[in-house]
Amino acid sequence: MRLKQVEPASPLARAQAFEAFYLRHFDAMTRFVARRTGDPQAVADLTAEVFLAALHSRHTYRPGRGSETGWLYGVARNVLSAQRRRSEREARAVERVVARRLLDGDDLADLTDRIDAEEPARRALSAMAGLAEGERALLELVVIDQLTVAEAAQALGIRVGTARVRLHRARRTLRNVPGVSAALVTEGL
Amino acid sequence: MTVSFRDKLLEELRAEAATVSWEPLPARRPARHLVTAAGLGAAVVAAVAVAIPLMWDAPAFAVVKNSDGTVTVRINEFVRPKELEKRLREAGVRAVIDYVPYGQTCREPRGENVPQPERMPLRHTEDSPGFRIDPKDIGPDETLVIQMHSANGDPAKSNGGSVAVIRGPVASCELVPAKFTGEDRE
C-alpha cells in the first residue's frame, strides 16, 4: 500500500522549527514575565526557563488541540508558579545555570524598559489578587496577556465554556472593587 | 555590534535542542514489570508503547462488549491476529494487529498518526487483566493499530509493544530491524 508522506504539523517537531517558534514568541514571553517580576535578571532567567521547559515538554503540544500560544502560556504559568514555590536555595542554584550570565548592559536596559512598560499591568494584576485563583488566572491571561478565551482556557487546561463562566464571575466581582480599571471588567475584551 | 539577549538565548536553546531526541512523537516506556531488560525502550516511533496485561490460563484472547459500549480485550497468546481483528471489528473497533518477532518492528510511518495521549485508545482495567477500548475514541476514518513484540507467540517473552491510532489508510507491516532510540526525559 502506498502512503503519502505526512509532514508533522507541529511547530515543535523539528529543531529548526523550535527556533522559529522561539523567535515568534520571545517578545511576548519577556513581556509576560516582565508583568510578573520587576527584576531584569529574573525576567531573563524566567524567559530562559520557559523556553527550556517548552523545549523539553514539546511533545505535550498537540496542534489539533489549540494554538501554540495557549500551550506556551500554560508552560510559562507552570514555570512561574514553580519558581514561586522554590526555596531560595534552589532558586540560587537555578540562577547559576541560566540566563543572567547572558546579560550585558544593553540587555539589562532593554529588559528594564520592558518591565517599566508593564508597570500598569503589574498594578492591575495586584488589584486582581483578591479573586479566587481560578478566576484570577483566567482574567490575567485574557485581560493582561491578551490571550483569546480559547487560548487562556487551553493554557489553564479548562473548557472554553468553563472559562467564559469564570471570566464573567471574575468581572462581576471586580466591578465592586474600588479603583479597578474599567478595562478589567469590560465584557467582550 | 553586541549580540542581544534574544540571540544569546537562542544559541543556548540551540545547543540544548541538539541534545534532545527529535523523534516525531514520544515513545513511552512500557510498564516496567511487564518488560524484559532487553526490550526496554523498544523503538516505537509515533506511537505510545504499552504493556498489555496478560493472563496465562485462558483462551488465546477474549473480546467482551460491555454494557457501557466499551470493549474489554484480553490477550493471552500472541496468535491469530486476523481473528482478533475480526472479533474487534464485530465489537465496533476497527483495528490492525501485528505480532512482530523480537528485535523487529513495522516500518514507520504506517499512516497519519492521530496525536496521543489525549485520545489514549486503551484504558487499563482496574479490576481485571486486559484493557478496555471505547469505540467512541476512534473516529470513523481511524484505525487502532496495535503492534506487539513477541517470541513465537509466547507472551512471557514479550517486551511490550505499541498502540497508535492512524487516520486514513494503514500500511501493512513491513518488518524492519527495531532501533532502540533514547528518549530525553527529565
Side-chain angles (χ1 to χ4, degrees):
Chain A
M1 184 185 309
R2 282 180 64 81
L3 276 175
K4 60 175 195 278
Q5 283 287 325
V6 180
E7 279 299 308
S10 171
L12 297 166
R14 296 266 185 278
Q16 279 167 332
F18 181 80
E19 289 182 18
F21 171 88
Y22 164 78
L23 293 172
R24 268 199 303 283
H25 294 286
F26 174 84
D27 282 335
M29 266 306 117
T30 49
R31 284 198 298 271
F32 174 86
V33 178
R35 287 192 277 274
R36 289 158 175 88
T37 175
D39 170 35
Q41 298 200 316
V43 172
D45 284 350
L46 288 166
T47 304
E49 266 198 77
V50 167
F51 284 105
L52 280 171
L55 174 66
H56 286 289
S57 57
R58 65 195 179 283
H59 291 135
T60 65
Y61 174 60
R62 312 291 175 196
R65 307 277 299 188
S67 75
E68 60 181 49
T69 303
W71 175 81
L72 181 62
Y73 276 76
V75 171
R77 282 184 50 80
N78 289 340
V79 167
L80 262 67
S81 57
Q83 184 258 351
R84 275 184 221 114
R85 285 193 305 267
R86 257 197 315 255
S87 70
E88 284 260 319
R89 191 168 56 103
E90 287 171 311
R92 278 200 298 278
V94 169
E95 284 161 14
R96 276 201 306 277
V97 294
V98 286
R100 58 190 57 192
R101 68 191 159 85
L102 305 178
L103 295 182
D104 61 27
D106 287 350
D107 295 324
L108 279 175
D110 183 46
L111 287 177
T112 305
D113 285 349
R114 282 176 196 227
I115 288 166
D116 290 348
E118 299 302 336
E119 167 60 22
R122 282 199 301 281
R123 269 207 309 276
L125 284 171
S126 63
M128 285 152 53
L131 290 172
E133 167 58 25
E135 295 172 16
R136 187 184 54 73
L138 194 66
L139 201 61
E140 265 183 48
L141 291 176
V142 173
V143 177
I144 309 291
D145 298 312
Q146 306 276 300
L147 264 58
T148 66
V149 176
E151 285 169 342
Q154 188 193 358
L156 297 171
I158 58 176
R159 289 170 197 278
V160 177
T162 310
R164 292 194 195 285
V165 172
R166 280 192 198 168
L167 205 54
H168 176 74
R169 209 177 329 159
R171 285 175 161 143
R172 201 177 49 203
T173 311
L174 280 183
R175 256 184 224 124
N176 304 321
V177 178
V180 169
S181 96
L184 276 186
V185 294
T186 307
E187 298 280 350
L189 257 180
Chain B
M1 201 182 86
T2 58
V3 181
S4 70
F5 169 62
R6 189 184 76 150
D7 294 339
K8 282 178 283 188
L9 182 54
L10 176 61
E11 281 304 313
E12 294 284 314
L13 290 170
R14 194 175 279 157
E16 183 75 10
T19 69
V20 305
S21 152
W22 290 93
E23 293 294 333
L25 272 179
R28 294 205 169 168
R29 285 190 201 290
R32 222 160 260 271
H33 63 282
L34 280 166
V35 173
T36 60
L40 262 188
V44 184
V45 177
V48 176
V50 296
I52 294 182
L54 303 157
M55 256 171 71
W56 315 113
D57 53 350
F61 51 79
V63 176
V64 178
K65 207 161 177 181
N66 304 312
S67 55
D68 62 357
T70 61
V71 177
T72 300
V73 182
R74 292 175 196 167
I75 302 175
N76 304 308
E77 279 181 76
F78 296 133
V79 293
R80 306 195 297 281
K82 293 295 158 205
E83 191 183 329
L84 178 53
E85 285 177 15
K86 180 166 172 281
R87 297 278 298 281
L88 283 167
R89 198 162 51 242
E90 287 163 357
V93 178
R94 193 200 340 225
V96 168
I97 295 170
D98 292 292
Y99 297 140
V100 302
Y102 176 71
Q104 297 191 9
T105 187
C106 302
R107 186 188 292 282
E108 295 279 353
R110 298 181 67 185
E112 181 192 347
N113 274 281
V114 176
Q116 294 178 56
E118 279 84 354
R119 300 257 311 278
M120 190 60 208
L122 301 190
R123 298 143 205 257
H124 287 282
T125 49
E126 293 292 318
D127 48 353
S128 67
F131 53 92
R132 224 151 37 89
I133 303 168
D134 190 340
K136 288 199 290 294
D137 283 345
I138 299 161
D141 58 341
E142 295 172 349
T143 305
L144 178 67
V145 178
I146 298 180
Q147 175 186 325
M148 291 299 295
H149 305 272
S150 68
N152 303 321
D154 182 357
K157 295 192 181 121
S158 164
N159 61 287
S162 72
V163 175
V165 175
I166 286 182
R167 186 174 293 136
V170 181
S172 53
C173 180
E174 182 192 346
L175 287 177
V176 292
K179 276 184 296 197
F180 292 88
T181 55
E183 307 166 45
D184 66 304
R185 294 208 162 255
E186 311 210 24

